Amino acid sequence: MNLLLVLGSDDAYTPLAFYVKALGFDLIRYRYVLKAMDNLDEVNPGVIIISATDFPRHWKLLLHFIRSERSKAVCPVILLKGDAFSLEEASKAFYLGVNGLVAESLDTPLEVDRLQSILSDSLPVEVRRHFRRYYQEEWNRFGFLFSNPADHGIITGEVKAVSRAGLSFYPYQGALMRGLGVNRELPECSLRAGDAILAPICKLIHPGRLVLLEFISFPDNERAIFNAYLAGMPSGEII
């Protein structure tokens, strides 16, 4: 399913793309509102995400244009908002037909959950099951650490959530991540999944308070071991 992202900022794009692709969407991005409007029928998106921060005036025009042809049930629209987004603007957004408002920074688990909850509602049940996201709970055993390629320091943290695509976690000492930028490959990682200790190669998608990592590959049959552990989990959040 195509997801249309109307976003000008490159800084906001990387973490947003990670969460979108983790749910199996094909992401199509436009930096200009008029181009998005011109190509709406051609793209035929199942979901649209618009940045109100990048387009503080034109998001209303685009939303009105979308809703003239596509209902909330047929094509959900998510509006990304900044800190200055007022309650009055939020009321206008819902009146015009947005399905939800999400902080563009995506710097808290609550905002991530809100985004992916809206996105998952547009997916078939069987697809949602495949892209299920599992939170750290008492009954599961997730753990993760990796070596900083810049200085070989060991970075540990608390795993927040795990999916087939990657994981998110809070580093205990964020200062140890110095020198690590977006898309940096991390070849020395250790992932605990139940009783198994796995060694995936990961890519850093988003550094910060909440770190996002994508699994690039697993050695030998470790991917099958990891997937089998997720499949046997007693419960999980579908987001």
Side-chain angles (χ1 to χ4, degrees):
M1 180 185 294
N2 289 338
L3 185 148
L4 176 59
L5 174 60
V6 187
L7 177 71
S9 170
D10 290 332
D11 291 338
Y13 174 78
T14 299
L16 186 60
F18 173 79
Y19 291 120
V20 168
K21 292 178 180 178
L23 287 173
F25 287 97
D26 295 319
L27 181 59
I28 299 171
R29 178 189 180 187
Y30 287 125
R31 298 174 183 268
Y32 303 102
V33 168
L34 290 180
K35 188 173 182 180
M37 293 170 66
D38 288 341
N39 292 278
L40 188 62
D41 289 336
E42 180 182 349
V43 173
N44 192 26
V47 182
I48 300 174
I49 299 177
I50 308 168
S51 171
T53 301
D54 293 336
F55 311 106
R57 296 181 180 178
H58 292 96
W59 68 261
K60 301 182 186 73
L61 175 66
L62 177 56
L63 182 57
H64 180 75
F65 180 80
I66 294 167
R67 286 292 172 252
S68 67
E69 300 182 353
R70 292 167 169 82
S71 68
K72 294 175 67 174
V74 171
C75 183
V77 175
I78 300 171
L79 194 65
L80 303 177
K81 62 185 180 68
D83 294 336
F85 198 79
S86 67
L87 289 176
E88 181 180 358
E89 289 288 89
S91 298
K92 292 178 182 178
F94 283 109
Y95 176 77
L96 290 172
V98 298
N99 292 72
L101 300 173
V102 177
E104 186 168 304
S105 60
L106 292 174
D107 58 354
T108 67
L110 178 62
E111 294 301 322
V112 174
D113 289 351
R114 183 177 290 117
L115 171 71
Q116 292 196 318
S117 177
I118 298 171
L119 292 178
S120 68
D121 286 343
S122 64
L123 295 171
V125 173
E126 60 273 16
V127 176
R128 280 186 277 171
R129 286 173 178 165
H130 179 75
F131 292 102
R132 182 173 291 181
R133 186 169 176 236
Y134 299 88
Y135 289 94
Q136 181 74 280
E137 301 286 358
E138 294 180 0
W139 55 79
N140 58 42
R141 298 179 66 194
F142 291 122
F144 185 79
L145 59 85
F146 68 93
S147 173
N148 185 333
D151 58 15
H152 302 289
I154 302 299
I155 299 173
T156 60
E158 177 185 353
V159 173
K160 168 61 180 175
V162 177
S163 72
R164 292 173 183 263
L167 61 83
S168 61
F169 84 116
Y170 294 109
Y172 292 138
Q173 294 180 285
L176 295 179
M177 294 189 60
R178 57 185 176 276
L180 293 180
V182 174
N183 294 327
R184 182 65 179 270
E185 187 171 303
L186 306 173
E188 298 179 349
C189 302
S190 179
L191 170 66
R192 171 183 285 277
D195 295 326
I197 304 297
L198 312 175
I201 296 176
C202 298
K203 181 168 65 176
L204 181 61
I205 299 298
H206 180 62
R209 185 174 61 173
L210 182 64
V211 175
L212 306 180
L213 294 159
E214 179 183 351
F215 299 132
I216 297 177
S217 64
F218 286 79
D220 301 324
N221 67 333
E222 288 189 2
R223 166 65 80 173
I225 295 172
F226 176 63
N227 288 345
Y229 181 70
L230 293 185
M233 295 284 289
S235 69
E237 294 280 343
I238 300 177
I239 61 175

